[in-house]
Amino acid sequence: MKEILFFEIKENIRSRWVFIYSGILILVMMILSFFGDQNGIRLLVSTMNLTLIVIPLFSITFSGMSFLESMPFAEVLLSKSVSRSSLFLGKYLGITISLSLGLLFGLGVPGLFLFADDPKFLFLFFELLIFGIFLTAIFVAIAFLVSSFIRRGEIVLTISLLVWLYFFIFFDALVFIFSLYLGDYPIEIPSLIVILLNPIDLIRILLILQTSSSALLGFSGALLLKQLGLYGVFGVTVLFLSLWVNIPLYISFKRFQKRNF
């Protein structure tokens, strides 16, 4: 697995897409710092919103297409007595680490200079980077799950975009509509369970809770804070983010083991 892991990292770093990914992050960070408050909460929140848009979108689309395109080469490796588990995990970790390095370079380096003067914002920015890596691992796992069931690239790309749109745009609206029409019933626990099913919302809520911009939480964030409190939100966030990595990865791994090449 180690050889496949290093080979995957090397190939992905060579890929122009990882450099494009880092370049987009650097460019937008420069634009945000130029037009916004350079050391203030607005820049941090804007950076968070950028991260929660770009990371899932790029991770799920790039990983899904990369998984499909590597299948002919995977067939050759499997014929040379490479185990399916080593190939699968090496591919997954290689893509995740490559995208995480792109994130650290494209977002981390500019952010280090922008937030260096304020320890509080610098700490929150490092926390954002850690959860950004977590989010990368989640959406690479989801991409592998989609690609393990579907073998046509255009369908994988379409479904990946729909998954991203659901998590980022439609989810909060669905939670709000659900609570609006069932507001006369005791729906706090069902609503809380539904909120936990969105990793993007969980990270957004946890980070905003630690700033003075709690008004930006939205309906789902306000409900989560009311039910669990700050430390409860942190513990639940880490738990469910771990599940979001492991469950899609486990299902896709089982599918890969049964795949006919």
Side-chain angles (χ1 to χ4, degrees), residues 48 50 237:
M48 179 199 68
L50 160 71
T237 298

Side-chain angles (χ1 to χ4, degrees), residues 29 32 45-46 52 60 68 71 79 90 96 127 144 158-159 162 178 220 228 232 237 257-258:
M29 282 291 290
L32 289 176
V45 173
S46 298
L52 298 183
I60 195 171
L68 284 183
M71 286 303 100
S79 67
T96 302
E127 194 174 331
F144 274 40
T158 301
I159 293 177
L162 289 174
F178 174 73
S220 57
L228 299 177
T237 298
Q257 284 186 316
K258 299 176 182 178

